[in-house]
Amino acid sequence: MQVMQGGRPTLLGVRAPRVEDDRLLTGRGRYVADVVLPGMVEAAFVRSDLPHALVRGVDKTAALASPGVHAVFDGADLDLDAVPDRMPWVRAVQHFPLARDRVRYVGCPLAVVVADDRYLAEDAAELVDADLQPLSTVDTVDDALAPDAEMLYPGWGDNLLLSVEPDDPEVDAAFERLRTVSGTFTTNRHSAVPLEGRGVVAEFRDDRLTVWTSTQAAYVVRAMLATVLGMRERDIRVITPDVGGGFGQKNEIYPEEYLVPWLAMRLRRPVRWIEDQHEHLIAATHARDTSIDLSAAVREDGTIAALRGRVRTDLGSGEIFPAGYGPSLVAVGSLCGPYRIPHQAIAVQGVVTNKTPTGGYRGFGAPEGTFAIERLVDKIGRELDIDPLELRRRMILAPQDLPYETAAGARLVSGTHREAFERAVELGERMLAEERDAAEPGTHLGVGYATYVEGVASTTFSITGTWSSQDSADIRFDSDGGVTVAVGISAMGQGTHTMVATLVAESLSIPIEQVRVVMGDTDTAPFGLGSWASRGTLVAGGAIERASEVLRCKGTDIAAHLLEASPDDLELTEGRFQVRGSPGSAVSWTQVAQSALNRTFELPPGVEPGLEARAVYEPPGLDHVPRPDGKMNAAASYTNATHTAVVHVDAGTGVVEVVRYAVVHDCGRVINPLTVAGQIHGGVAQGIGGTLYEQLPYEDGQPLATTFAEYLLPSAREIPEMLVEEWGGPAPETPFGAKGAGEAGIIGPPAAIAGAIENALAPLGVTGIDTTPLTPPVVRRLIEEARS
């Protein structure tokens, strides 16, 4: 299916069904749990039930004698290197796949049992007796920073994994002469909980290791395995089968991903481990858990001259790669949003505590930063008696302001910041009016807004100390005119196969049905950094565009020779090279491929046989480390959006229902509107969950939500129908004019919903909502405090 654009057919912007869905919806997907190999055994982990303790010994005798058990190992048995600490600007953690001398969180792996099946392995794991000497628990950030705090890493002298203290005289000067408005804005700890948990299968055969793992970055896993296992990368093959959701949580490299391959090599037989839900909630990385102290130096008209503050994140034990401080840096970069705020100086503290390590989760700090600045803008409006929407209009970027560099260093080249905002306000006012017309008198209804910019296709060097931002594509014709494209990004349910096939078909002017997509296998896909930071369309698109240009040039030369015409006289349309003005004088890609691959004697002089191309694309203009002024343009491009939420609040119970929701979004050229809408719908659903329901509380280092009986997720009943409008057009700074849309949906809900609740409860005097999740007890307490 094609549409016409500029007088020619195009696949871009067509609401076409995803090419991968038929296989997945009919049960033909293959996930890690579906990998079954001859002679395979299963692993189960023994995990610490203490949050902080010295490991004095592990007694494996009873477990080894248990039926069906092949081996039991603890940390002292492993001949593995520590996971490398490659970031010189943060403190070294030096953690191992199994704890050796100390455990620092409940769920930390202490030992592993391998048996004929998972049931026998679990039975034997209960027989492993770990001798742990309890230590004082560091339960909160305040505990960790106290002068007499127990040190998680005694050699550090404190509990700060990362500490950044900026100094900007311009900011100091603004705060000396202007009014100050301040607040503290907290986003509590929750989890990504993808439908498919983690899993690893490994086999060592013919001196080569093959690993199937549910990851977002196969090549990064391969490199880390080579380092920790002491192998050459070429002797390791990493395969990412179908992934049932990643959301950034599967962009971390976990202890099990090192240990299961080690077991396969040690036992000389395939080993599998599949995570259960309890393990997932205590051992897979958590997210958010960030408090932002933010102050604004405010002019008389309410506009912000400078921001000053601190982003403080509870990183848990910090024993994960990449380390979990990355979202804190993104939060700093998100604080100016789409506003003209000329200066900021924001400190960052990454604090270790006796909790599960935090890591990446969809939005990666942007929801936290957006929540802080949007709530602060509302507070400024309230204190200065300025309509908060009018205050935003005074600061928001207009088309004539672009290109614009934010106070954090982000270079905004394109976007519809003001237009998207005004349209979202129009929708919000209409939706609220419609709900009020249908509601009973006295119903507490309110509307809230959140506007932001989102960096896409960012550098990864600042959190890995190794990799930057490039990705690759191989495109190869077969002699029948079919095309195989291999890319370095990966799929996890976001429609990547459809996007890649569409861009290749568009670039080569062939039907999408002729394109086969390969990814997620280090033996068959070119080097790439995987899928995260909404980067797939931009970086894969850039590589596809470059490789396709090579093939079009070669195809044109071959076709011109076959047609006895000049290459300058040919045009490529609907899979045929034809002489301009003479549609009957044409050859197809199939004929060109036959000449290039089979009938090579038909090739023009100097043209080599074959019809394939590889290209690498690295986004230009990225800063991989901060500039001398401390600023950093860490992303290749920036999307923008404004979210509108309409809520109903039951003042008696504190229950909040999101009844209407709209997103006005600009991600440049939309490749497939159905895919983009799906991404935004899913992100908003997760954002609603994190804003109203999901939390991972701790008490004395013990997690209190370890099953779905305690960890509350929204169901379809809690997610309203959504209106999504795409604004803008092709972005001049990106391949195909496309940006990214993977995280846009999750960034706006915390600020928009909090603002809507505050608006709904304004008659009761509720103001200053500054924390999530806004569960019924929290909302009731806000009402009671306002009444008192």
Side-chain angles (χ1 to χ4, degrees):
M1 178 180 177
Q2 293 180 323
V3 297
M4 298 302 294
Q5 186 178 80
R8 68 179 187 86
T10 180
L11 293 167
L12 304 184
V14 176
R15 297 174 65 87
R18 303 196 323 175
V19 300
E20 57 266 68
D21 284 354
D22 180 67
R23 182 177 61 84
L24 297 174
L25 293 174
T26 55
R28 291 180 285 125
R30 190 179 191 232
Y31 300 87
V32 173
D34 297 316
V35 177
V36 178
L37 303 173
M40 186 173 72
V41 290
E42 305 251 5
F45 284 85
V46 179
R47 301 184 184 274
S48 174
D49 57 5
L50 293 180
H52 201 192
L54 297 177
V55 181
R56 296 194 294 196
V58 178
D59 186 352
K60 301 167 288 188
T61 307
L64 284 166
S66 188
V69 170
H70 294 270
V72 184
F73 299 104
D74 64 17
D77 299 318
L78 304 187
D79 54 349
L80 294 173
D81 291 331
V83 177
D85 295 287
R86 291 175 167 169
M87 295 72 69
W89 41 89
V90 300
R91 282 169 160 158
V93 172
Q94 287 286 295
H95 70 282
F96 291 87
L98 293 177
R100 293 192 172 186
D101 59 344
R102 184 184 292 226
V103 295
R104 297 180 176 87
Y105 63 97
V106 172
C108 175
L110 279 164
V112 62
V113 177
V114 182
D116 288 332
D117 60 45
R118 179 65 180 264
Y119 301 99
L120 294 173
E122 292 279 7
D123 289 344
E126 293 182 1
L127 302 176
V128 174
D129 183 16
D131 183 7
L132 303 179
Q133 178 183 330
L135 296 171
S136 298
T137 299
V138 180
D139 207 36
T140 67
V141 165
D142 288 340
D143 291 342
L145 297 178
D148 58 347
E150 179 85 34
M151 296 292 105
L152 270 70
Y153 300 91
W156 291 4
D158 58 33
N159 285 314
L160 287 170
L161 179 75
L162 170 72
S163 182
V164 177
E165 295 290 340
D167 180 24
D168 188 335
E170 296 276 4
V171 171
D172 295 338
F175 274 86
E176 287 175 3
R177 70 177 187 273
L178 297 174
R179 175 174 181 167
T180 300
V181 179
S182 304
T184 298
F185 308 96
T186 301
T187 305
N188 279 299
R189 177 175 288 243
H190 54 279
S191 175
V193 289
L195 186 61
E196 178 209 29
R198 298 178 295 130
V200 187
V201 176
E203 179 181 41
F204 190 67
R205 182 187 295 271
D206 299 328
D207 294 325
R208 198 151 190 263
L209 177 66
T210 302
V211 179
W212 294 260
T213 182
S214 186
T215 184
Q216 297 173 223
Y219 270 100
V220 176
V221 171
R222 187 184 74 163
M224 295 299 290
L225 284 175
T227 299
V228 174
L229 298 176
M231 298 178 65
R232 298 173 297 194
E233 288 189 34
R234 63 181 178 272
D235 292 332
I236 303 172
R237 179 185 186 185
V238 174
I239 299 172
T240 301
D242 291 314
V243 176
F247 310 124
Q249 194 178 51
K250 292 179 182 175
N251 204 38
E252 311 289 345
I253 317 297
Y254 288 92
E256 298 87 354
E257 287 178 294
Y258 304 111
L259 197 54
V260 172
W262 181 85
L263 291 169
M265 297 173 67
R266 180 70 173 259
L267 301 177
R268 289 296 195 269
R269 62 190 305 172
V271 180
R272 180 173 68 177
W273 168 76
I274 303 298
E275 179 183 64
D276 63 38
Q277 194 58 62
H278 174 69
E279 284 182 298
H280 181 81
L281 285 172
I282 66 171
T285 53
H286 296 167
R288 313 300 191 222
D289 212 349
T290 295
S291 181
I292 301 178
D293 297 324
L294 193 61
S295 297
V298 181
R299 305 181 184 98
E300 290 185 3
D301 65 353
T303 59
I304 299 172
L307 292 173
R308 184 162 63 190
R310 180 189 63 207
V311 175
R312 179 178 282 172
T313 301
D314 185 335
L315 299 177
S317 76
E319 296 168 291
I320 194 68
F321 183 91
Y325 65 85
S328 304
L329 305 181
V330 173
V332 171
S334 303
L335 287 172
C336 287
Y339 302 125
R340 292 186 299 272
I341 301 174
H343 304 288
Q344 72 172 37
I346 309 295
V348 177
Q349 288 183 324
V351 185
V352 292
T353 65
N354 292 124
K355 298 176 185 172
T356 301
T358 58
Y361 178 36
R362 199 174 195 173
F364 205 75
E368 298 95 293
T370 299
F371 180 68
I373 187 62
E374 291 293 84
R375 296 276 67 219
L376 185 64
V377 170
D378 282 339
K379 187 174 183 180
I380 294 169
R382 188 167 59 249
E383 292 196 8
L384 274 65
D385 197 23
I386 301 173
D387 181 339
L389 297 181
E390 177 57 32
L391 178 54
R392 287 172 170 84
R393 290 187 178 102
R394 295 175 184 177
M395 296 191 293
I396 200 163
L397 293 168
Q400 62 268 25
D401 295 320
L402 300 176
Y404 178 84
E405 182 172 290
T406 72
R411 299 190 189 103
L412 310 183
V413 177
S414 60
T416 51
H417 311 90
R418 179 177 293 274
E419 299 93 322
F421 171 76
E422 295 294 356
R423 175 57 176 166
V425 171
E426 177 186 339
L427 292 173
E429 291 174 346
R430 188 183 76 196
M431 293 189 302
L432 179 62
E434 291 171 354
E435 290 298 319
R436 282 179 172 163
D437 287 344
E440 296 290 332
T443 301
H444 293 284
L445 289 164
V447 63
Y449 304 94
T451 187
Y452 59 87
V453 294
E454 173 206 355
V456 301
S458 62
T459 177
T460 188
F461 189 80
S462 58
I463 61 171
T464 67
T466 304
W467 296 279
S468 52
S469 57
Q470 79 280 13
D471 233 277
S472 312
D474 286 345
I475 305 178
R476 184 185 72 245
F477 270 91
D478 297 318
S479 59
D480 61 2
V483 170
T484 297
V485 53
V487 290
I489 61 172
S490 57
M492 48 187 170
Q494 77 273 45
T496 303
H497 288 84
T498 298
M499 178 272 292
V500 169
T502 300
L503 294 184
V504 172
E506 175 75 11
S507 299
L508 299 176
S509 187
I510 60 176
I512 196 171
E513 295 79 15
Q514 289 181 214
V515 181
R516 175 176 175 266
V517 180
V518 174
M519 64 180 73
D521 185 336
T522 58
D523 270 13
T524 60
F527 181 83
L529 298 177
S531 292
W532 38 270
S534 302
R535 70 190 297 270
T537 298
L538 198 154
V539 294
I544 288 168
E545 188 176 60
R546 291 182 175 183
S548 296
E549 176 62 23
V550 172
L551 291 171
R552 285 197 306 270
C553 290
K554 186 170 185 178
T556 299
D557 288 342
I558 296 171
H561 185 71
L562 295 175
L563 292 168
E564 298 182 354
S566 168
D568 294 336
D569 294 334
L570 298 190
E571 61 181 355
L572 175 61
T573 179
E574 298 188 59
R576 290 159 31 103
F577 296 87
Q578 67 181 38
V579 178
R580 288 185 180 86
S582 301
S585 182
V587 296
S588 67
W589 267 119
T590 300
Q591 292 170 284
V592 169
Q594 291 253 345
S595 296
L597 297 169
N598 297 341
R599 302 166 61 88
T600 56
F601 55 85
E602 295 179 343
L603 292 174
V607 174
E608 295 289 333
L611 197 56
E612 60 187 57
R614 168 175 289 189
V616 178
Y617 178 78
E618 181 158 30
L622 279 173
D623 295 323
H624 300 288
V625 296
R627 306 197 295 265
D629 60 3
K631 296 182 179 181
M632 186 174 180
N633 183 50
S637 185
Y638 296 84
T639 66
N640 67 271
T642 299
H643 288 215
T644 301
V646 177
V647 305
H648 168 255
V649 184
D650 187 321
T653 64
V655 171
V656 177
E657 180 183 6
V658 182
V659 294
R660 302 282 289 273
Y661 206 96
V663 179
V664 184
H665 182 244
D666 181 355
C667 62
R669 172 178 277 144
V670 175
I671 305 301
N672 187 315
L674 289 177
T675 300
V676 171
Q679 285 290 292
I680 292 176
H681 288 183
V684 169
Q686 288 178 303
I688 290 172
T691 305
L692 297 179
Y693 304 103
E694 300 176 50
Q695 58 181 331
L696 288 162
Y698 276 74
E699 185 174 325
D700 297 328
Q702 290 292 333
L704 303 183
T706 62
T707 71
F708 282 153
E710 303 93 17
Y711 188 84
L712 185 61
L713 289 166
S715 69
R717 167 67 181 78
E718 285 74 44
I719 306 302
E721 289 190 15
M722 294 174 215
L723 174 62
V724 177
E725 291 187 358
E726 284 295 335
W727 284 50
E733 72 271 25
T734 64
F736 296 97
K739 298 183 182 179
E743 296 168 280
I746 204 170
I747 297 172
I753 294 171
I757 295 171
E758 194 169 281
N759 181 244
L761 298 178
L764 302 180
V766 172
T767 61
I769 296 176
D770 56 12
T771 187
T772 64
L774 291 160
T775 58
V778 172
V779 175
R780 285 201 308 271
R781 185 169 64 249
L782 289 168
I783 294 170
E784 291 165 2
E785 289 173 352
R787 285 173 172 166
S788 64

